[in-house]
Amino acid sequence: MKIKSYWAGSACLLAGFLSLTLVTLSGCSEENPPRSLQLLQTQVETVELKVAYSQGEGLPEYEAVKAFGERLREVTGGRYALELVSNEELGGELTSLELVQAGKLDFAIVSSPLMENWNRDFRAINLPYMYRDVGHLKRIVSSPLITKQLFHSVEDQGLTVLCAFYAGQRGIYTREKKIRVPIDLKDQKIRVQQSESLMAMIRAMGGRSVPMPLSEVRTALGSGVIDGADNGIVPYYVLGHYQQAPIFNESGHLMGIDLLVINTKRLRELPPEVRKFIEEQIKAVADNEFALFQTAEIQVREAAREAGVQFVRSYKRGFREMVRLLLARSIESPLEEQIFNLIDSSYDDPVMEWADLE
């Protein structure tokens, strides 16, 4: 059974998403297409820009990008549009990034830790126990240090990061064992994404890390190849993983970050008006996704509880102590140090001004 079928069974839970989807984008858009974009409306052939997405239709990221694609089609009079390809039909996230880099794919929505394979500085935004809450995370990934430096640091390799999405607070879900303290993770085989920092994190927390594409996780859980996996509550539920791993341990070790990445050459070759539209509207896309995902977490948590999922409170302070040395060893470059200091110094700040973030 495909991933999409699991999501279809849960779609009614998140029907409220659709009423939110266009609010942010329409609020930031002009009533009529800009004059420069109207010139494109004499064209009739549609250029479909492909977007690879590893998960299913209807999820917050999918809906936010879909709404953006509809707006792009509207303002260009059908000249440009986005085609979202979900459920790893173009391969896993790492494969998608490689296709984007090679110019064989326009966009990909991928987990931020995978970008460490191109630039290790991305580790600085993916470290465990670094963000106070979603608001803190959003301010950091919207800051000039991230958007103007880190996100553009891989352009010489053919990749441009357009924006960051919220992918939920992560926990460790397991088949049989409750994970309350670090010793409980001993010898537990935990799936992580194909990222060096995430593998190191699980090892530091006391477990055995098993890198694996998302599409293989459900089968691996069912067969006992792995004992559990690291992910957020939304994909855990809508992908059906709760059926094989009914214990969700709330370690809260990471605030998940996904990235919308485009081929750098493709972006530069777009008509100036289209490129400008994308760059000006991308913040609205991210704002919309953050709102959608936070709503999803609330709704899915209740549904998971009703489906019999056991939620276990983990001793976060103990796990935080376990990864302290990992944090210290992760900082190697000047940019990483700047990002680490920005996150750490702003942890207790209720509000941060943009001038303080540069």
Side-chain angles (χ1 to χ4, degrees):
M1 188 179 294
K2 292 185 177 180
I3 290 175
K4 185 185 294 186
S5 63
Y6 300 129
W7 170 242
S10 308
C12 59
L13 275 170
L14 307 180
F17 285 171
L18 298 178
S19 64
L20 292 172
T21 301
L22 295 174
V23 172
T24 306
L25 290 176
S26 60
C28 297
S29 304
E30 299 178 26
E31 184 174 348
N32 297 309
R35 181 178 179 82
S36 55
L37 283 174
Q38 291 177 4
L39 298 176
L40 295 172
Q41 296 183 1
T42 57
Q43 305 288 337
V44 292
E45 183 180 356
T46 300
V47 177
E48 295 276 0
L49 303 173
K50 283 193 176 183
V51 185
Y53 182 50
S54 67
Q55 299 183 52
E57 297 178 12
L59 287 166
E61 293 164 321
Y62 185 97
E63 292 301 324
V65 175
K66 177 183 175 183
F68 177 58
E70 290 170 354
R71 181 60 180 161
L72 177 64
R73 182 187 291 274
E74 176 188 347
V75 300
T76 62
R79 181 68 177 88
Y80 282 84
L82 299 183
E83 177 189 354
L84 279 90
V85 184
S86 57
N87 298 314
E88 291 193 350
E89 290 182 20
L90 297 176
E93 290 185 338
L94 192 57
T95 299
S96 296
L97 271 174
E98 292 169 347
L99 290 173
V100 172
Q101 182 181 32
K104 297 178 180 179
L105 180 64
D106 302 302
F107 296 86
I109 302 171
V110 299
S111 181
S112 176
L114 293 179
M115 290 302 300
E116 298 167 17
N117 293 292
W118 280 264
N119 181 2
R120 292 169 67 86
D121 288 346
F122 276 86
R123 290 178 302 179
I125 63 172
N126 300 317
L127 295 173
Y129 297 109
M130 287 295 290
Y131 300 101
R132 183 185 70 245
D133 51 31
V134 180
H136 184 209
L137 167 69
K138 186 176 181 182
R139 291 193 295 271
I140 294 298
V141 297
S142 302
S143 70
L145 182 62
I146 305 302
T147 61
K148 294 181 180 179
Q149 294 190 50
L150 183 64
F151 285 178
H152 291 272
S153 66
V154 287
E155 288 186 334
D156 60 343
Q157 300 180 68
L159 300 170
T160 297
V161 180
L162 293 176
C163 68
F165 292 143
Y166 174 51
Q169 182 165 283
R170 301 173 79 97
I172 296 174
Y173 48 91
T174 49
R175 299 170 65 242
E176 300 176 350
K177 194 169 185 179
K178 295 180 179 179
I179 310 297
R180 291 192 173 93
V181 294
I183 192 64
D184 294 333
L185 261 182
K186 183 176 174 58
D187 296 327
Q188 292 288 292
K189 299 184 293 294
I190 306 300
R191 176 267 173 179
V192 294
Q193 293 162 321
Q194 295 149 298
S195 157
E196 181 182 319
S197 69
L198 293 187
M199 288 187 282
M201 177 193 70
I202 291 297
R203 290 195 298 268
M205 292 172 69
R208 295 171 57 188
S209 56
V210 181
M212 182 182 296
L214 182 64
S215 58
E216 299 177 12
V217 174
R218 193 172 193 271
T219 300
L221 285 168
S223 64
V225 170
I226 56 176
D227 300 303
D230 148 64
N231 215 325
I233 185 67
V234 174
Y236 164 69
Y237 179 75
V238 302
L239 298 180
H241 293 180
Y242 70 94
Q243 296 171 353
Q244 280 72 39
I247 303 171
F248 194 91
N249 304 282
E250 298 183 283
S251 54
H253 51 280
L254 284 178
M255 287 280 187
I257 302 171
D258 284 352
L259 303 172
L260 179 60
V261 184
I262 187 173
N263 176 271
T264 303
K265 183 180 179 183
R266 188 70 171 113
L267 177 63
R268 292 171 178 171
E269 289 177 345
L270 289 172
E273 299 85 358
V274 177
R275 187 168 67 249
K276 182 180 179 182
F277 173 79
I278 291 175
E279 292 170 347
E280 289 180 348
Q281 292 296 309
I282 205 65
K283 182 180 182 300
V285 180
D287 287 346
N288 192 30
E289 191 278 340
F290 264 76
L292 292 174
F293 210 106
Q294 289 176 79
T295 301
E297 285 185 304
I298 296 171
Q299 295 178 330
V300 164
R301 183 183 180 85
E302 182 58 31
R305 193 182 298 278
E306 291 178 0
V309 171
Q310 298 181 63
F311 287 91
V312 176
R313 295 185 63 183
S314 300
Y315 181 55
K316 294 183 181 180
R317 181 178 297 177
F319 286 111
R320 198 177 291 129
E321 289 296 317
M322 296 286 285
V323 302
R324 177 177 292 180
L325 185 59
L326 173 65
L327 295 179
R329 288 191 299 210
S330 295
I331 307 305
E332 295 180 355
S333 76
L335 181 55
E336 279 186 292
E337 185 173 5
Q338 282 184 276
I339 295 171
F340 180 89
N341 289 338
L342 171 62
I343 298 173
D344 188 52
S345 64
S346 61
Y347 189 91
D348 295 319
D349 295 347
V351 177
M352 295 182 291
E353 300 295 337
W354 293 126
D356 298 330
L357 293 172
E358 298 196 46

